[in-house]
Amino acid sequence: MSEPTRYSTPPIELPPDLEREPDPAEGCAGCAELAAVRGRARVMGDWTTVSDCNVFMRRHPEGH
């Protein structure tokens, strides 16, 4: 049987997210709105909304 660790271990360092955020398609009102919402969410520290906007832009119904 192993003994439990009795000292603090250093934090685990996760790799940075290397995936680039999608750019809005030129001339697309839907993409422009998602980019605007994403920008406002980033300023407010709402990382869930930032992530959601990225997903919606990648899954855009027009395929861009």
Side-chain angles (χ1 to χ4, degrees), residues 22-48:
D23 293 325
E26 191 172 327
C28 177
C31 285
E33 179 62 23
L34 284 170
V37 170
R38 180 177 65 187
R40 290 190 300 269
R42 182 176 287 114
V43 168
M44 298 300 294
D46 183 358
W47 303 113
T48 300

Side-chain angles (χ1 to χ4, degrees), residues 15-20:
D17 186 1
L18 301 177
E19 189 172 330
R20 211 177 78 123

Side-chain angles (χ1 to χ4, degrees), residues 40-58:
R40 290 190 300 269
R42 182 176 287 114
V43 168
M44 298 300 294
D46 183 358
W47 303 113
T48 300
T49 301
V50 170
S51 177
D52 289 346
C53 288
N54 289 337
V55 169
F56 290 141
M57 286 176 79
R58 284 189 187 100

